[in-house]
Amino acid sequence: MHPSLYHPFYLLLVTLITFSVMKDYAKWKYRFIIKHDFSKKNYAILLALFFTLFIGLRPVDERYFVDMNMYDYSYYFTYYGARFVFDRHADNFIFDNLFAWMGSQKYESGVFFFLMSTIYFMFMLCACLKLFPKDSLLAFVVYLGAFSTFSFGTNGMKAGAAASLFLVALAYYKDNKIITILFLWLSLGFHHSMLAPIVAFVIAYFYKNPKVYLFCWFFCLLLAALHITFFMTFFAGFTDEHGAGYLEEETEDMVRNVSGFRPDFIFYSAVPILIGYYLISVKKIKSEKYNFLWCVYTLTNCVFLLCTYGSFINRIAYLSWLMIPFVLLYPFLNNRWSIRQDQYLRYAVLGHLGFTLFMNIIYYQI
């Protein structure tokens, strides 16, 4: 398949699968929304295997998979056949050393890209199986339809793999502290930017007052609207030179879809926050796990707002966006709070996919 067809085919396939899965859910009424078991784990596993192969075996292309081309160049001209020496001071101490070691062993770059795709989709699946044991297929399909899923499986591979590892830590935080700590460490080892959601994770673990988190989010939104960029410089001091480059204030020649105050990105970020706060405070949902997920997401999204004038802001936003499918779905599938909950579930799933399709098919084509 030509590289230019990968993204359209991905969107088409995910859209068809989403409608197929939601068609099955249409027969469930609100009183069965908690009691049913519609996981279809085998189908979810097959989907994960398919997308692992589909994305992992894609061709190296300079135009459509820009980061992939840069990784390929670095792999062959820096590490291929070179002597491997473990770098204890690497910015991404697991990813960088794994990348160098595979090159030193003279594996073809395709093996590396397939490994990254495997980590990305398989650990994403693991998180869905754990967090949504009765709705694993739906959760995985919704994640496939998220705005950044394709992009961070093909270009931002390092951050994408780190995100999937972080999701596993989120899924296990109540049930197994050893697994949680291990996957937080692995996530940080793959990409140092995961420090932001990990810090939010730790804070939310000890403090879970939704009102405070919502106030912080609106305060950060106000700072963003007032074009206050102090925190961009502040956060740049905690990252490497490459990461600091993302926090440089936008210039006139930057591409409009990766920098600046983005109402569309803020809207996408705000929906799970506002829905979640309404369900927690008004509908009185009693779920410690959901409250925790919501708090981690909201606090991490504050970082995006404080750095919204940086370059490649979509990569900073992804630090919180990686949680959106889970934060959005969880209260619809694991709590009963409305006699129209089955309809609201369909609105949430199709609206989430609709935003992805609108941005890719209409907005970016204007």
Side-chain angles (χ1 to χ4, degrees):
M1 182 183 293
H2 191 272
S4 64
L5 298 177
Y6 266 74
H7 197 194
F9 180 78
Y10 176 92
L11 292 175
L12 175 62
L13 189 58
V14 170
T15 300
L16 293 175
I17 294 172
T18 301
F19 276 95
S20 176
V21 173
M22 289 310 298
K23 187 178 179 181
D24 291 331
Y25 272 79
K27 61 186 178 184
W28 295 103
K29 298 303 180 182
Y30 78 97
R31 56 184 174 274
F32 300 115
I33 205 76
I34 307 300
K35 295 181 179 179
H36 78 277
D37 187 345
F38 202 61
S39 63
K40 291 194 174 183
K41 295 179 181 178
N42 292 336
Y43 288 99
I45 293 171
L46 287 175
L47 267 184
L49 288 172
F50 171 80
F51 282 103
T52 295
L53 292 168
F54 176 65
I55 298 298
L57 300 179
R58 68 195 182 282
V60 176
D61 186 87
E62 184 176 9
R63 179 179 179 183
Y64 295 99
F65 308 125
V66 179
D67 284 8
M68 185 183 184
N69 185 67
M70 292 188 294
Y71 279 122
D72 187 71
Y73 180 87
S74 177
Y75 189 82
Y76 283 113
F77 286 89
T78 305
Y79 300 109
Y80 194 77
R83 178 173 172 268
F84 173 70
V85 178
F86 185 83
D87 184 1
R88 293 180 299 170
H89 304 292
D91 291 320
N92 309 293
F93 54 91
I94 295 178
F95 176 88
D96 292 350
N97 283 292
L98 175 63
F99 188 64
W101 178 81
M102 291 187 70
S104 72
Q105 300 302 304
K106 293 187 176 181
Y107 291 110
E108 294 300 314
S109 63
V111 177
F112 165 76
F113 293 126
F114 182 76
L115 174 62
M116 294 300 292
S117 180
T118 301
I119 293 172
Y120 186 54
F121 288 106
M122 287 304 172
F123 283 109
M124 182 192 302
L125 174 65
C126 287
C128 291
L129 292 172
K130 176 61 180 175
L131 204 55
F132 301 93
K134 296 181 180 180
D135 304 276
S136 305
L137 178 60
L138 175 62
F140 187 70
V141 169
V142 170
Y143 209 101
L144 290 175
F147 178 52
S148 298
T149 298
F150 179 85
S151 175
F152 282 84
T154 54
N155 279 320
M157 294 176 291
K158 185 163 50 177
S164 290
L165 295 168
F166 180 79
L167 291 176
V168 176
L170 274 179
Y172 276 89
Y173 102 99
K174 279 284 290 181
D175 304 316
N176 194 312
K177 288 184 173 59
I178 294 177
I179 291 179
T180 297
I181 294 172
L182 172 63
F183 276 87
L184 288 177
W185 178 77
L186 290 172
S187 176
L188 183 62
F190 261 77
H191 204 296
H192 62 274
S193 67
M194 295 306 296
L195 181 63
I198 289 174
V199 170
F201 183 107
V202 173
I203 293 173
Y205 184 84
F206 292 102
Y207 187 76
K208 302 181 180 69
N209 187 333
K211 290 183 180 179
V212 174
Y213 286 87
L214 185 67
F215 173 82
C216 289
W217 188 84
F218 273 111
F219 180 70
C220 291
L221 177 59
L222 176 62
L223 294 180
L226 294 175
H227 203 136
I228 295 175
T229 60
F230 163 79
F231 288 96
M232 289 165 52
T233 304
F234 176 76
F235 289 132
F238 291 92
T239 186
D240 62 1
E241 183 177 349
H242 185 67
Y246 288 164
L247 298 174
E248 293 175 353
E249 190 171 357
E250 63 174 328
T251 56
E252 293 182 0
D253 60 343
M254 283 184 180
V255 181
R256 69 180 176 90
N257 68 335
V258 294
S259 62
F261 189 83
R262 294 289 302 265
D264 50 341
F265 283 7
I266 292 173
F267 169 78
Y268 183 59
S269 300
V271 168
I273 292 174
L274 299 179
I275 291 177
Y277 188 77
Y278 171 78
L279 295 178
I280 293 170
S281 62
V282 178
K283 291 297 183 178
K284 305 298 181 183
I285 284 182
K286 302 296 182 183
S287 173
E288 184 180 347
K289 183 172 286 188
Y290 175 60
N291 189 75
F292 173 76
L293 289 171
W294 184 87
C295 288
V296 175
Y297 168 74
T298 303
L299 188 56
T300 308
N301 194 252
C302 289
V303 176
F304 151 65
L305 294 176
L306 293 175
C307 300
T308 194
Y309 292 97
S311 59
F312 296 98
I313 188 57
N314 57 321
R315 301 206 172 194
I316 300 174
Y318 181 67
L319 297 176
S320 58
W321 287 354
L322 64 91
M323 295 174 257
I324 283 182
F326 289 176
V327 176
L328 190 65
L329 268 185
Y330 195 89
F332 291 97
L333 298 175
N334 295 287
N335 301 92
R336 187 184 299 170
W337 44 269
S338 172
I339 61 173
R340 300 182 63 190
Q341 192 167 328
D342 54 321
Q343 298 178 39
Y344 296 145
L345 171 64
R346 290 194 289 274
Y347 296 157
V349 171
L350 298 180
H352 179 254
L353 176 64
F355 179 83
T356 299
L357 296 177
F358 170 78
M359 292 296 290
N360 286 282
I361 297 175
I362 299 177
Y363 182 85
Y364 286 137
Q365 304 306 318
I366 296 177

